[in-house]
Amino acid sequence: MMYLFDNRLDRQISGKTWKWMLRIAMVLFLPLVLVYCAGRTINDYIPNSSQEEEVKAALIAFETAWNTHEEKAVLALLAGDFIMWEGSKGSRKIVFSKGTFGFRLQDILIRWRYLSLGMPEILVKDGEATARMAMLLDARGMRTTFRLINRGGAWLILEWEF
């Protein structure tokens, strides 16, 4: 019968050699895992339907407009009754509401400069869509949810919660 760790082999390879072999394996394996997992973005998402493709395009347009700080382009992608939420369901607060008097989205664009959307889970039903994904906001990782609505043939962001 063959054993996984033969006593003779164990005597031939010292503890330092085992540690060295383990380090080499980690150095080779860990970067591959990180590149595969961390490198997947919304651009890598393969939609299952034309509606999911349209939702994906709207989210990519939002990410692009946000990162170029084009306030008018961001506002054009938001529904008239858009709300941005921060926090969980139990203790969330409104960060921004479209049309709020005396408040500009530019204030938020200045505070949070860079946005990167991860691989989404998109659910589309009856002209509404929910997209859940990982997000980097100024290098802080978090989960986020977008709720979109199809109005006049265009997908607009109704809510953004993070």
Side-chain angles (χ1 to χ4, degrees):
M1 179 177 237
M2 186 171 167
Y3 292 98
L4 184 60
F5 293 104
D6 189 356
N7 286 339
R8 290 174 288 158
L9 179 62
D10 194 36
R11 280 185 258 140
Q12 292 173 353
I13 300 177
S14 69
K16 287 183 181 179
T17 306
W18 278 111
K19 287 180 184 177
W20 179 79
M21 290 172 57
L22 183 61
R23 286 182 184 149
I24 294 295
M26 290 302 289
V27 166
L28 295 174
F29 180 69
L30 190 60
L32 292 174
V33 171
L34 290 176
V35 166
Y36 179 75
C37 295
R40 308 229 18 206
T41 67
I42 191 166
N43 294 315
D44 300 319
Y45 178 71
I46 300 171
N48 295 321
S49 68
S50 61
Q51 287 184 325
E52 284 186 19
E53 179 68 42
E54 293 169 1
V55 169
K56 173 186 170 181
L59 291 172
I60 289 172
F62 177 76
E63 178 184 50
T64 303
W66 184 278
N67 289 333
T68 57
H69 294 23
E70 297 176 28
E71 183 179 18
K72 289 182 181 178
V74 172
L75 289 172
L77 295 166
L78 306 178
D81 46 350
F82 169 80
I83 296 175
M84 180 189 299
W85 299 95
E86 181 179 37
S88 63
K89 294 267 187 209
S91 63
R92 65 184 191 170
K93 66 177 183 173
I94 296 176
V95 176
F96 174 78
S97 176
K98 190 173 178 182
T100 304
F101 179 76
F103 188 86
R104 294 186 47 209
L105 182 61
Q106 188 65 31
D107 299 333
I108 295 173
L109 291 173
I110 290 169
R111 192 170 72 195
W112 295 323
R113 293 176 296 255
Y114 181 74
L115 172 74
S116 177
L117 300 176
M119 180 68 78
E121 297 171 16
I122 298 175
L123 177 69
V124 180
K125 185 177 180 183
D126 299 329
E128 294 184 8
T130 301
R132 292 182 179 86
M133 67 200 75
M135 172 181 74
L136 286 174
L137 189 58
D138 281 345
R140 291 183 310 157
M142 61 188 79
R143 297 289 300 165
T144 188
T145 302
F146 287 93
R147 288 178 190 80
L148 296 93
I149 191 161
N150 191 328
R151 290 191 178 152
W155 286 96
L156 301 173
I157 301 172
L158 183 61
E159 288 187 9
W160 179 19
E161 183 179 322
F162 57 93

